Each structure stands twice: as C-alpha cells, then as structure tokens.
Amino acid sequence: MSDRETEPAGPTLEGLRQRLTEFAAARSWEPFHTPKNLAAALTVEAGELLEIFQWLTPEQAASVMSEPDAAHRVRDEVADVLAYLLQFCTVVGVDPLTALAAKIERNELRFPAPGAGPGPGAGSAH
C-alpha cells in the first residue's frame, strides 16, 4: 500500500496547524506571532469576511456562494480567519476543538431546547 493510500481523505486540523507553524518558522515570523498580534490579525480577517456581505440584502447574502468571484473571496477570507485562529491557539496553548466542545456543552445547559424543561434563564450564548 502506498503512503497516499494511508493518508486521511482531507487535511486535518493538526496537520494544518503544523503547516502554519512550519510556514511561519521558515520565514522567521515567530517573534511577530504574539497573542496580541494574532488576535488583531484574526479580527482584521473577520472584518474582511464581513465586508463581503456588508451592504447585501439577506437574499443577496444567501446567494453569495453561487457567484464564483464572491465565493472565491469568501473561501479565502474563511481560510485567513481559520489560519490566524489556529496560530493564535498554538501560541496560547488552546486546543480549539476541546474549547469548542466545552463551550457547546455549557450552552446546552444554559439554553435548553424548547420543551426540554426549565432553563437557567435568558442570557448571551457568547
């Protein structure tokens, strides 16, 4: 069996995180990858994602991915947001999947599904 046959079907979160770490190291960017700088870069990239949708109606926004140029921009900005988030998590030592699973569990307790019984009350899910 070849190496290609034993590889996962697609990229893994850990594999992408490692590639980003190696990419930055090869360019000696580590001194600039501080938590503050990475959080700022993440915010900028999230803003660029938002900019694609800024003046669209709900109907236009819902169809953005059917337009090749707009869909390409969305995919690129999603990639940038995810890249900076993974780099941030690496620097501060947060496992993003574990953090997300824990947050979902807390939100399930705070905001039970309708009909699931009394909840702890209203509040922000974020």
Side-chain angles (χ1 to χ4, degrees):
M1 192 181 314
S2 74
D3 286 341
R4 183 167 294 293
E5 291 176 40
T6 60
E7 291 178 2
T12 65
L13 198 61
E14 180 56 29
L16 293 171
R17 188 200 61 75
Q18 185 61 39
R19 284 182 66 189
L20 289 166
T21 298
E22 291 168 1
F23 183 87
R27 290 152 183 82
S28 300
W29 289 351
E30 300 100 324
F32 307 104
H33 284 193
T34 64
K36 178 192 74 73
N37 288 350
L38 291 168
L42 175 59
T43 301
V44 169
E45 295 302 337
E48 290 179 7
L49 178 60
L50 175 60
E51 185 178 33
I52 297 167
F53 297 91
Q54 185 173 7
W55 302 112
L56 301 182
T57 65
E59 295 78 19
Q60 291 169 324
S63 66
V64 159
M65 296 308 288
S66 66
E67 301 168 22
D69 288 341
H72 177 74
R73 287 182 60 211
V74 168
R75 284 190 296 272
D76 276 357
E77 296 307 335
V78 166
D80 289 342
V81 167
L82 183 56
Y84 279 118
L85 179 60
L86 289 176
Q87 290 171 312
F88 176 84
C89 288
T90 298
V91 168
V92 299
V94 170
D95 178 330
L97 296 181
T98 300
L100 178 56
K103 181 66 174 185
I104 291 170
E105 288 176 20
R106 286 192 308 275
N107 283 343
E108 287 171 339
L109 293 172
R110 288 180 63 200
F111 306 101
S124 172
H126 306 301

